[in-house]
Each structure stands twice: as structure tokens, then as C-alpha cells.
Amino acid sequence: MKPAFMQPSYIWLMTDSQKAQTAAPAKAGARKTRRQNAEHGFTASKGLADKMQLVLVDLLELQLQGKQAHWNVVGKNFRDTHLVLDEIIDAARGFSDTIAERMRALHATPDGRSDTVAATTTLPEFPAGEISTTDTIDLLTERLEGTVATIREVHDPIDKEDPTSADLLHAIIETLEQYAWMVSAENRTPTKK
């Protein structure tokens, strides 16, 4: 015998009176709760939404500049630099999505359009053309630290209004600072004792 989902359905052949006899009771089945219909929950203030937007555009810009560097890096340790750039790009992409979705959960509207990002990012413009691995390391370290600086600047006001969003920022800071340390170590020389 075929499973129930594979059995032919002849409900469309039934008369209206036959359908009425097989219909579920009026209050049966899934229903939305009052809470779901109301969808009130915590709503971000304009200040909170604006601060989260600052973080979002810097993360989006970090991702774009990382990709620009990834495509155009040349020189010693090319492969390692090329690969770590992919890690940073993936992290920035994931973090930007997390921030944008948090904004939506707080009934704020993120703006990730390219013209908005270009006009509002705090990160400096990335140079065009091929970039040596040494310069790429320095440029990316500066962008990682710049993104962290933006997040640290808005963290305390965000924490006062919404500790949950501040917790997301903690995780982002931790990861980006670790990348800044690891990337910058490529150009460092040991300090003498």
C-alpha cells in the first residue's frame, strides 16, 4: 500500500455537503496568538537604530574593501594573505547580516545600499590597483581597527538601551580585534629585550 501522502486525492470531486461533513471544527488547527498578531515587542529608538546603522555600514565597507584587497594583492606571502582576506570577508559578511537582522527584530530598517555605505562609512577609501602584501596587511589592519573603533564608540549607548544588541557587538569586537592582531603580525618584527 502507498503511504498516505502518495494516495490520490479526490476531494475536488466531493460535493459541498460532503466537504462540510469532513471539514475540521471551526476552532481547530493553527492560529496566531494575540502576541503574534500584535508584534509589538521591544522597539529600537531612533538613536539605537542610527548607532546600529553605523556599525552595519562599516561592516559592509570592510567586506567590500577586503574583497578589493583579495583580488589585487600581490607579492611575498600572497597565498596566506589571499586566504586570510577571505576569512575576514566572510566574518564581515556574517556580522553585517547579524546586525541587519537584529535591527529588523527591533523594528528598525537597515540601509545597506551601496550609495548609503559609501556616503556614511567611517573607513577610509581603499586604493585602486595592485597592492603589495605588505601594504595590504597595513591597510587591512587599519580597516579592522577602524571598524572596531566605530563599534566601541557606539557600544555603551547601545548597551544602556539594549544589552542584547551590545552582546552581539562584543562578539564582533572580539573577532575583529583577533584578526587585526593576526594580520598585523605579518609585518611586525620581534622586539628586542
Side-chain angles (χ1 to χ4, degrees):
M1 181 169 185
K2 293 180 182 178
F5 71 88
M6 294 180 72
Q7 296 293 328
S9 175
Y10 298 104
I11 195 155
W12 56 275
L13 293 174
M14 298 171 85
T15 66
D16 287 339
S17 63
Q18 290 172 318
K19 289 178 188 175
Q21 292 172 359
T22 60
K27 293 192 176 200
R31 294 184 312 261
K32 289 186 175 182
T33 65
R34 218 178 84 225
R35 178 82 173 158
Q36 287 170 315
N37 286 332
E39 198 182 300
H40 290 299
F42 178 76
T43 301
S45 68
K46 180 166 177 12
L48 174 58
D50 289 348
K51 287 172 182 57
M52 295 288 280
Q53 178 68 25
L54 291 173
V55 173
L56 176 63
V57 296
D58 276 5
L59 288 168
L60 290 169
E61 183 66 13
L62 177 64
Q63 169 191 325
L64 292 170
Q65 289 195 22
K67 206 59 172 168
Q68 179 69 18
H70 174 82
W71 292 324
N72 292 296
V73 65
V74 295
K76 289 184 178 182
N77 296 321
F78 162 80
R79 182 167 167 70
D80 290 339
T81 305
H82 190 75
L83 293 174
V84 78
L85 287 168
D86 266 340
E87 290 178 31
I88 293 167
I89 293 160
D90 289 345
R93 182 180 300 122
F95 291 145
S96 63
D97 193 50
T98 297
I99 294 301
E101 289 180 356
R102 179 66 183 159
M103 291 174 73
R104 291 300 297 150
L106 301 179
H107 307 283
T109 306
D111 188 351
R113 295 173 299 159
S114 58
D115 55 340
T116 301
V117 173
T120 59
T121 185
T122 66
L123 302 183
E125 186 177 326
F126 200 83
E130 289 184 339
I131 308 286
S132 72
T133 52
T134 305
D135 289 343
T136 298
I137 293 299
D138 291 341
L139 291 165
L140 251 295
T141 300
E142 180 184 11
R143 271 79 181 158
L144 287 162
E145 290 173 346
T147 304
V148 168
T150 297
I151 298 169
R152 286 187 174 280
E153 183 178 319
V154 302
H155 174 271
D156 288 349
I158 288 175
D159 193 33
K160 285 179 185 170
E161 185 173 347
D162 182 26
T164 304
S165 293
D167 286 348
L168 297 174
L169 299 180
H170 290 150
I172 296 169
I173 289 169
E174 178 188 11
T175 301
L176 295 184
E177 285 182 337
Q178 184 176 20
Y179 275 124
W181 159 63
M182 294 175 114
V183 169
S184 68
E186 182 73 29
N187 286 350
R188 290 194 59 227
T189 54
T191 54
K192 296 182 180 181
K193 293 183 181 186

